Amino acid sequence: MSDPGTPPGPGAAPGPGAAPGPGAAPALGVSVVVCVYTEDRWTDILAAVSSVRAQSYPALETLLVVDHNPALKDRLAREYKEDGDVRVLANAGPRGLSAGRNTGIAAARGEIVAFLDDDAVAERDWLRHFAEGYADPRVMAVGGRTVPVWASGRRPDWFPEEFDWVVGCTYKGLPPGRVRVRNVLGGNASFRRAAFDAAGGFATGIGRDGDRRPLGCEETELCIRLTRARPDTVLLIDDRAVIHHRVPKAREHFAYFRTRAWAEGLSKALVARSVGADKGLESERRYTTRVLPAGVARGLRDALLGRPGGAGRAGAIVAGVCAAAGGYVVGSLRARRGGTAFSVPSIARAEAADE
């Protein structure tokens, strides 16, 4: 979850190859990292790469980082054998999304490293809007807006927009436009390469490990760590930088909703352990005291007016809060007993070789 703040002043950067005007920021090379782990998403992976190639602000390269799946890596290497703008790499660290991202960062040639989920496609101006945000040299990260694409063709009536983060998407409660935030959302984000020099990479042991546990928050922990390392850092979300994220049918059910909310609580406990509860839960306090009560009220009003799903949305918000709170309590107890561990790697500026 992201914490909205005060929007900085506007600024824009020209596209690659354009001559910057007086006082304008120079064109920035962008490396796009897509972490992949299963052949079940083969069509999605190809669509994600195609969307990067269609950008109005061309990417310097696309890095496909394969998470301990040699068969998938070999298949992708064959698919893109003739394409110099796509590199296929093996995750050089432990299994999981964080280590995969760190592998991509280490191999990236661009001054900006952008991340795209393997089951998402980016709109044509996605990278252009990212690049514009870096006209201000204080900006260390720019995120975007992630729109759900429901496998069933429509949002379930009971599923509250306030909880779209459960399915990896932008949730109701964030202000529109280009706004300053506490953290960006990892599946649709970009960072200056210098950010990782200052703060290290994504912490392993917090985020996802394939589909085994629907954990998260690794980008939250990194962003807080970054602002501590560089207090003048500015982090932005620009809602014009849009991607469309596929939500499979299995994630349209309440069982997944509850499990993901519980896992978010577990993850938040690790973040609080790393950066302290005051900063680690800063935006969550606003979210639970302002955004969610308004969502419950809307749901109950819709129920009284006979609109479909109103009572279900109100109930799902309450259930989601309870599940996340329970996960946080359990995660905090485990952390105190030493039952959980994570590490923050440094990122070497060495190019990873294709294998």
Side-chain angles (χ1 to χ4, degrees), residues 42-180:
W42 179 257
T43 302
D44 293 329
I45 295 168
L46 300 187
V49 173
S50 293
S51 75
V52 174
R53 287 175 148 177
Q55 290 297 300
S56 61
Y57 187 110
L60 182 66
E61 60 185 347
T62 300
L63 304 177
L64 295 174
V65 183
V66 184
D67 192 15
H68 298 270
N69 186 335
L72 175 58
K73 180 179 176 298
D74 291 344
R75 187 179 179 187
L76 286 169
R78 291 193 299 270
E79 178 73 22
Y80 294 107
K81 181 172 60 175
E82 308 298 329
D83 300 292
D85 62 330
V86 179
R87 288 194 285 155
V88 181
L89 311 170
N91 180 0
R95 187 182 299 276
L97 181 57
S98 290
R101 286 174 174 166
N102 292 337
T103 297
I105 295 163
R109 300 181 180 125
E111 298 165 82
I112 304 299
V113 183
F115 299 95
L116 178 66
D117 276 344
D118 63 345
D119 53 357
V121 293
E123 291 191 0
R124 178 172 169 76
D125 292 329
W126 177 60
L127 290 182
R128 179 172 297 281
H129 292 307
F130 277 174
E132 288 173 355
Y134 291 102
D136 183 342
R138 299 173 302 158
V139 174
M140 288 287 120
V142 182
R145 177 162 57 96
T146 302
V147 178
V149 180
W150 303 94
S152 62
R154 61 188 296 272
R155 171 186 296 275
D157 287 340
W158 62 269
F159 202 114
E161 292 181 51
E162 292 82 359
F163 271 77
D164 276 5
W165 55 264
V166 163
V167 291
C169 296
T170 302
Y171 59 91
K172 188 179 185 66
L174 290 176
R178 186 193 293 174
V179 296
R180 190 167 181 172

Side-chain angles (χ1 to χ4, degrees), residues 237-250:
I237 283 183
D238 188 335
D239 69 359
R240 300 170 302 167
V242 178
I243 70 170
H244 298 266
H245 177 74
R246 187 174 65 81
V247 181
K249 284 188 177 181

